[in-house]
Every structure is written in C-alpha cells, then in structure tokens.
Amino acid sequence: MDSTPGPAPDHSGQPGQPGPSLDDPEYRAAVIDLLGVLAYGELSAFVRLAADAALAPQIGAQAQLAGMAVAEFRHFTRLRDRLGELGVDPDEAMQPFVAPINAFHESTAPADWLEGLTKAYVGDGVGVDFYREVARFLDEQTQALVLEVLADTGHSAFVVATVREAISVDPRVAGRLALWGRRLMGEMLSQAQRTAAERDALSNLLVGGMGGGGVPGFDLAEVGRMFARLTEQHTRRMRALGLSA
Amino acid sequence: MDSTPGPAPDHSGQPGQPGPSLDDPEYRAAVIDLLGVLAYGELSAFVRLAADAALAPQIGAQAQLAGMAVAEFRHFTRLRDRLGELGVDPDEAMQPFVAPINAFHESTAPADWLEGLTKAYVGDGVGVDFYREVARFLDEQTQALVLEVLADTGHSAFVVATVREAISVDPRVAGRLALWGRRLMGEMLSQAQRTAAERDALSNLLVGGMGGGGVPGFDLAEVGRMFARLTEQHTRRMRALGLSA
C-alpha cells in the first residue's frame, strides 16, 4: 500500500459548526470504542502474523513477516497508551471486540505460507483504508494518532513480489489465492457488520454522524456504503497481486 | 532474571597474550556461527512466543507476552545487522541452526497458557546465562553486542507472579509445570549438544579454547561442564517459580 493520506481531514464539519470534542460524552464513548477495536485488531494481527511467520520457507521471508508483525505491535502500544491517557482501562476498552476479532482469525487460519502472506497483505490494506475512512470524522488529537498509525504500515512490496513470483512458478496458485482473498474479505465484513450493529455510537462515528458534518443518527445504509468502498479498494489491491477478486 | 553482568569480561586471556581477533579466520568463523545461532534463536523465539500469546486468558497478559516477543525481535535485528557488517549473508549464517532450533520448538509446543509462559521464562533465563558464559571469550566489539542483547531481556517478574498465582489457586499445577520445565531443559540440552558436536569451532569458542585464555582445541568435556552450569542455574530459577526442577 502507498501511504498517501486519504481525503483531506474534515473535522470542522459544516460551516460554522464546531468539530467533535472529547468533552461530548457520546463522541468520547465512540472514540474509546474506536481506539479499543483498533488496539485489539493490532494486537491480534501481531500475534497471528508472527505465528504465520513460522510457515515461511526461508529465514529472510520469516524475518520480513516478523517485521510486519512488530510494526503492528508498535501501533498497538500507541493506541493502548492513548486509551490510558483518556483515563480508560485499555483492556476494558478492547474487551467488546475480542470475540469478533478472534472469530475472524479462527475462521481464517492460513493453510500455508502464501495464504499467510495474502492475509497479511489484505488485512494491512483494508486496515489502511479503514483508518483513512474514519480519520475524517475525528477530533484533531485522535486524528493525529490514527494518521500516525496509518503512515507506519507498509512492507507490502515484499508480499506482492513473493505472491507474483509464486504464481509465475505455478499459475494454479492464482485461483486458490483469489478464492482465499474473497473468503478473507467476506469473513472480515461479516464480523465487522455484526460488530457495527451492536455498537451504535461507534458506527455513527464511522460514517460521520457525530460532531461536525455527516448525518446525525445511526445509519446502517451508510455503514454499508463504507463497507462497499472498502470492498472496491480490496478488489483493486487483489488485482495488483495478480489475482481476480 | 536480573540483568547483573556475569563474570568480568576477560578477553585479554592469559597475561601477555592478545585477545581474540576477527582477523584470525578460525575465530572469525566461530563468531559468525555464534551470531548465527543467536540470531536464529531470537527470531524463532519471537515467532513462538508471539504465537503462544494467543493462548493468554486476558488481553493484558497477551500484550505482556507479545512485548517479550518484540524484545526478542529487536535482538534478532541487532545480531542480523552485525552479521551484515561482517560481510556475511545473515541467512547463510543462520542456516546450520534452523533444523535443531525448529526441532526444539516442535518438540516443545506448549499445551496451554501456563506452559507457554514457563517456556518463555525458561528460554529467556537459559539464554541470559548462555550469553554470560560466552561473553567472556569474545573480542570487545562482539562482546559489547552480546552484553547489549543480554541487558535488554526481562519481563520475568510478570511470569513469576502469574505462575505463582496459578499454583496458589490449584497446587496440582506445580507438579505438571515442574515436569514441563524438566522436559524443556532436556530438549534444549539435547539439541544444543547435537549442535555443539557438529560445530567444532563454535564449541571451542564457547569454552574459551580460542584466542586468549582457555584450553586450545575442542573439549567436549568442557562443553559438558558449561551445560551443567546452565542446568544448575535453571534449577535455581525453577525454584523461584515455586517448582522443583
């Protein structure tokens, strides 16, 4: 993934309207949910990526995947520390998201090295897109953190080169990994949709229905449109990998 | 583990004798072996610890084990970079140690969270003892790196507290983990002895039979004595955990 910043930050909302503030209890609760889901997402991405590194056929490749995992852990500590600064117990903030994120990982355990790499790439990519989507609607301080965590991802050139090389050696790999990519995205959306339905404030925040700008009130259709945009970007990324999504 | 430095560095050898030098091809080969085995040991410790973090019952505990894993990865990158500085391909230097280290991990996959924690603690402790044993016989630059990597370990207070707490809740845990600790040490020594028997220069270096100080020439008995010291220290550490070793 490139790390070009997404749409220009827009926390000023409609003209004359103030941006969202952490003094607003509903916005604050949504931000805590957001930091909680991101933090547990990063921690579990760390654990799973690191475990998948054991599948690497060469030491150099193992070290590459391990390095991706360590980057996720750095993000986790930044998000956890911010929760602490907000006076929140980070474990409590993460708790509501443990079950859906673990369920995602359990239903998508890679069978081999190439599936592990593809999962890292897809997860990283969707993560970056999601960070960009949500950054627009945040107060300045939360936004700065989210953009910092976004800017730090990468490593995808290694994945793209390795997967393309594997496909050139054995073209049948492409069909299998294309299916795998679809399955990953399907499971991710299914868990995300389930979570969104249960966390009104968070869903509201994600689609700009809070603070400045956006339509106030929970809007499942708007959440659905955000997921559709994430899916389109995923499709483009799979093509870069040489796969039909 | 405390991080008190071990015996005073002694790279001057016997009075009047120069310390070991990387210009000596045999010593240089042994140092490359040493950095190779340490580097792959750290990389695979990273991967296994991170994977074991998935077994944690609470998020906080998972983050603790993940943090231990990340410390191992930092050590890995330092050792790998040093191999590069020496003009060596790090992957090639690690290659001879992949099979024995993987065999160790495959034969000691933890069945649950407490076994995972105990493995992290035992591995970290034996690692620190080993770094101390070997640091004495190294040239200054290699020694500085080995001591730096040693000083950076830790986190064991968390393991000791967690295991002791688990034993106080269910005393039967102590017997099971004591057996587990013995098995870990047995497997570690068995793989180490096999490796030492195949890598003469490295074994020589480990017991001071190279450069300054120590008896020149390969001495399997001295290697055995070093392993005996590591075992004694392991026994003391298991006692700190509330286990008979």
Side-chain angles (χ1 to χ4, degrees), chain A:
Chain A
M1 271 64 55
D2 64 353
S3 54
T4 327
D10 174 23
H11 45 79
S12 63
Q14 284 149 18
Q17 229 182 326
S21 159
L22 288 165
D23 296 331
D24 167 0
E26 205 196 343
Y27 174 74
R28 186 187 153 85
V31 164
I32 289 167
D33 255 16
L34 176 69
L35 298 177
V37 69
L38 294 180
Y40 192 69
E42 297 282 7
L43 178 61
S44 62
F46 163 78
V47 168
R48 308 293 169 151
L49 270 181
D52 296 345
L55 303 168
Q58 298 98 21
I59 307 171
Q62 188 173 17
Q64 278 274 0
L65 207 59
M68 287 179 80
V70 170
E72 311 281 7
F73 188 75
R74 269 199 305 271
H75 299 167
F76 162 71
T77 57
R78 292 284 295 119
L79 294 158
R80 181 189 57 187
D81 293 352
R82 178 65 184 148
L83 282 163
E85 281 165 26
L86 290 173
V88 178
D89 177 343
D91 293 6
E92 275 177 37
M94 289 185 259
Q95 198 57 56
F97 309 104
V98 168
I101 290 175
N102 285 356
F104 165 70
H105 285 297
E106 275 148 32
S107 64
T108 58
D112 63 16
W113 166 240
L114 288 173
E115 288 191 5
L117 272 190
T118 306
K119 183 172 169 180
Y121 175 80
V122 166
D124 199 34
V126 175
V128 168
D129 291 338
F130 177 75
Y131 283 118
R132 272 187 204 153
E133 283 276 349
V134 74
R136 288 181 286 165
F137 304 118
L138 298 172
D139 64 284
E140 277 183 75
Q141 214 177 349
T142 309
Q143 186 179 80
L145 173 59
V146 165
L147 291 178
E148 176 201 320
V149 168
L150 156 66
D152 200 24
T153 47
H155 300 262
S156 63
F158 163 72
V159 176
V160 172
T162 309
V163 170
R164 283 187 162 274
E165 163 74 17
I167 292 172
S168 78
V169 170
D170 178 2
R172 286 169 306 176
V173 164
R176 180 163 68 84
L177 290 182
L179 265 175
W180 173 242
R182 253 168 277 167
R183 190 149 148 247
L184 287 169
M185 195 64 194
E187 288 289 335
M188 218 179 292
L189 289 175
S190 132
Q191 293 299 338
Q193 239 136 1
R194 194 169 299 160
T195 306
E198 280 172 11
R199 311 293 295 183
D200 278 21
L202 177 60
S203 307
N204 248 335
L205 172 66
L206 298 187
V207 297
M210 202 175 265
V215 188
F218 179 70
D219 184 349
L220 191 59
E222 186 51 40
V223 173
R225 281 190 288 276
M226 185 186 81
F227 288 157
R229 287 192 296 276
L230 294 178
T231 307
E232 278 162 33
Q233 287 150 338
H234 165 73
T235 305
R236 271 197 292 277
R237 244 184 335 264
M238 292 297 279
R239 254 185 245 126
L241 216 51
L243 304 175
S244 58

